[in-house]
Amino acid sequence: MQRAGKFVEDVGFALLFPAPRPIGPSLWEAVAGEDDEPFGTGMGENEQKVWSWKDELPRRGLAWYGAYLGGRGSFLSPALLAVLYPGAGELDDHEELELSPAAHEIAAALAVEPLSSAALRSLLGDRNRYQRAIAELQRNLLVTTAGVDESSNGWPAALLTLTCEQFDVGGRRDHSQATVQYLDTMLDTSPAELARAFRWSTPQARELLDELVDTDRATSDGRRYQPITS
């Protein structure tokens, strides 16, 4: 578990499982290797290990987890999370963002206490409405997992909490620093790839990458960007 946390800390961000269009490293590849297909033979030892990390790493404060990088299950290091987090680090951060009523309702409920996914689905009364709202909150980095709730009948349900309750965030948003981290990890990117990963607009991503070129922290041929390493 500590090694998994150290991996995310070192690379800054990682997918749970690899994506068809690469937008970052994955914990699966770090454990099983690039050639192994996840769930190729069912739920094996490596699959169980990686799957449990999506709940345990956030619970221990080692990495944020949610549907973020390209909309896929992702981990962010606490340092990268801090420069991407959009709010002040308060329980009512959601009130400053344009979210759906369902997302605001979930965030307000989690401001009282962590709740299981089953409890939140019951609160909204509609599974699809719940899934859309949670995806919206995770896209804005407001909510993460924090272990599992073993008390419910059937399969253990993920326990969800506000990001600001689990991590030291607020007031440190710095997309330039996040761009540096992405480029340092990927070594080669385009504005479209950066935009897809962090859910920015392509013009915003290009502006941030060009800023790195202007300050001699990256090079570019006009299409692709690479970091300048000393």
Side-chain angles (χ1 to χ4, degrees), residues 69-129:
L69 295 169
R72 302 178 70 89
S74 321
F75 297 95
L76 300 179
S77 71
L80 181 59
L81 172 67
V83 297
L84 286 170
Y85 187 80
E90 303 293 338
L91 298 178
D92 60 357
D93 281 344
H94 67 100
E95 296 178 2
E96 303 299 319
L97 301 177
E98 293 185 9
L99 305 172
S100 67
H104 282 299
E105 186 175 356
I106 287 178
L110 293 177
V112 177
E113 62 179 339
L115 292 168
S116 70
S117 55
L120 291 170
R121 282 196 299 271
S122 178
L123 175 69
L124 293 185
D126 183 280
R127 182 184 181 88
N128 291 332
R129 189 164 171 251

Side-chain angles (χ1 to χ4, degrees), residues 14-75:
L15 296 169
L16 182 63
F17 294 108
R21 295 170 61 192
I23 54 175
S26 73
L27 274 186
W28 169 261
E29 291 169 313
V31 170
E34 295 183 2
D35 296 330
D36 276 10
E37 183 74 20
F39 303 105
T41 57
M43 180 64 89
E45 180 181 351
N46 285 334
E47 284 85 357
Q48 291 176 7
K49 183 186 300 182
V50 173
W51 188 253
S52 70
W53 286 343
K54 68 183 177 60
D55 301 310
E56 281 302 304
L57 286 175
R59 186 182 72 81
R60 300 187 188 195
L62 297 174
W64 180 93
Y65 179 79
Y68 184 70
L69 295 169
R72 302 178 70 89
S74 321
F75 297 95

